[in-house]
Amino acid sequence: SGEGIKRPIASMPGQFQWSIDTAIDEVKAVAELGVPAVILFGIPDEKDACGTDNYSPNGIVPSAIRAIKEAVPDMIVISDMCFCEYTDHGHCGIINMPDHEHYTPKLPQGYLLNDPTLDLLGQASVVHAQAGADIIAPSGMIDGMVGAIRAALDGEGFDHISIMSYAAKYASGFYGPFRDAAESPPQFGDRSQYQMDPANKREAMKEVALDVAEGADMLMVKPALPYLDILAAIRAQYNLPTAAYQVSGEFSMMHAAAERGWIDLPRVAMESLTSIKRAGADMILTYFAKDAATWLND
Ligand code: PBG
Ligand code: ZN
């Protein structure tokens, strides 16, 4: 929130936290370069147990979606649909706590409550679609999230809004720098209840099959480079468009090595993007988008 903000993210060179006004200028700049879409992550003024800001029409992301679609109507706006940036505990949904309305004594305290979380994901997706989001990208790996969001969107007349599911998302150390950027580390425990074990491959195929059955329009793998085998397997088995998310740790490692003079950044960054493409990605979400577009245009 606020105005005129362009705050550098220390662990991600060249990446910033923006206020809505400066974000609009940035979106105009990336549109000029030919980047077709942006994905939004929000930092609310206030975090609470339910992540209320995420489903308030005047929350930070719905407000940003409206402003961007108004300023650059052709830009495809993807909204990252999860609760970890908006909850005070930093988890991706409603957590089992004695003082909470959904408290379930039979489940352990600190456990993520699936069904109340699905209700809120549906509500928030409708609010983001009303604000103008073109694609909802549920990122929490909550069981049933794609079906719940599809039903909520269709129920409000948003049949045409598509769902890009973070279908195969691993509990990865490569998200480290992003958690600084989004100010959303879990305050206790970790995300291994809902994200996948890096050792598992068949589990990814099972998760993808569920998302396809629930109506996902695009399938995403995350992180990208360490999981190209998963991407290739999904490409071979499904005909839906695939996306790969080159995450913060992948980006920052390349920068750190380049700063030491150990690698040539443009060469290695483009090599990594080419490899992701080769493995089967139709779309790549990357913090190198602006740089890559510039290098490709040169
Ligand atoms: C969750 C979310 C995360 C990322 C994107 N969406 C963090 C997490 O799962 O812990 C990570 C992105 C990155 O590392 O670049 N809303
Ligand atoms: Zn999350």
Side-chain angles (χ1 to χ4, degrees):
S1 67
E3 272 177 38
I5 294 168
K6 181 181 177 183
R7 191 177 299 134
I9 298 164
S11 55
M12 299 175 69
Q15 302 296 317
F16 301 87
Q17 296 177 338
W18 310 92
S19 50
I20 292 176
D21 56 332
T22 54
I24 288 172
D25 293 338
E26 179 70 356
V27 171
K28 287 180 181 160
V30 303
E32 285 286 304
L33 288 166
V35 174
V38 295
I39 183 163
L40 301 182
F41 298 92
I43 302 174
D45 269 338
E46 276 181 44
K47 304 193 184 210
D48 58 25
C50 295
T52 311
D53 193 84
N54 195 26
Y55 52 93
S56 307
N58 293 320
I60 191 70
V61 165
S63 303
I65 295 170
R66 266 194 306 276
I68 291 170
K69 288 304 282 190
E70 196 175 308
V72 193
D74 289 341
M75 179 59 73
I76 295 168
V77 175
I78 309 171
S79 102
D80 177 83
M81 180 48 64
C82 198
F83 279 97
C84 48
E85 291 136 48
Y86 310 95
T87 50
D88 49 15
H89 45 67
H91 280 281
C92 298
I94 301 289
I95 290 294
N96 202 31
M97 295 285 193
D99 53 349
H100 197 272
E101 58 169 315
H102 295 290
Y103 181 56
T104 312
K106 281 186 184 158
L107 289 172
Q109 285 186 27
Y111 200 76
L112 188 134
L113 296 172
N114 211 83
D115 295 4
T117 301
L118 293 182
D119 287 344
L120 290 183
L121 283 170
Q123 273 186 50
S125 299
V126 168
V127 169
H128 290 210
Q130 283 164 340
D134 300 291
I135 300 175
I136 304 291
S139 63
M141 291 288 286
I142 310 299
D143 290 338
M145 65 183 183
V146 172
I149 291 172
R150 186 73 272 158
L153 288 173
D154 292 357
E156 295 296 326
F158 292 111
D159 307 45
H160 60 301
I161 301 302
S162 51
I163 298 178
M164 173 192 276
S165 179
Y166 286 59
K169 177 172 177 178
Y170 284 88
S172 173
F174 286 96
Y175 307 146
F178 175 89
R179 288 179 185 173
D180 289 350
E183 302 172 8
S184 62
Q187 297 303 305
F188 55 85
D190 60 27
R191 297 195 168 124
S192 54
Q193 183 196 334
Y194 36 99
Q195 298 182 353
M196 279 187 298
D197 182 334
N200 294 0
K201 181 166 183 177
R202 287 185 309 251
E203 187 188 17
M205 301 314 282
K206 189 185 114 196
E207 292 285 348
V208 169
L210 289 170
D211 284 5
V212 171
E214 290 174 28
D217 300 290
M218 302 165 232
L219 303 168
M220 192 208 288
V221 176
K222 181 185 170 185
L225 218 49
Y227 296 90
L228 292 186
D229 58 326
I230 309 295
L231 177 61
I234 293 173
R235 172 74 295 155
Q237 198 167 326
Y238 294 95
N239 290 320
L240 290 173
T242 52
Y245 191 148
Q246 183 178 53
V247 301
S248 56
E250 299 178 70
F251 170 84
S252 298
M253 284 195 312
M254 287 184 242
H255 265 282
E259 266 170 36
R260 294 184 164 204
W262 292 347
I263 60 170
D264 171 352
L265 186 66
R267 181 174 172 183
V268 169
M270 288 309 287
E271 187 176 331
S272 72
L273 295 171
T274 303
S275 300
I276 295 165
K277 189 82 192 161
R278 189 192 63 233
D282 298 304
M283 292 165 265
I284 304 174
L285 293 89
T286 173
Y287 302 100
F288 286 119
K290 238 181 132 177
D291 292 331
T294 307
W295 297 327
L296 288 169
N297 290 335
D298 275 349

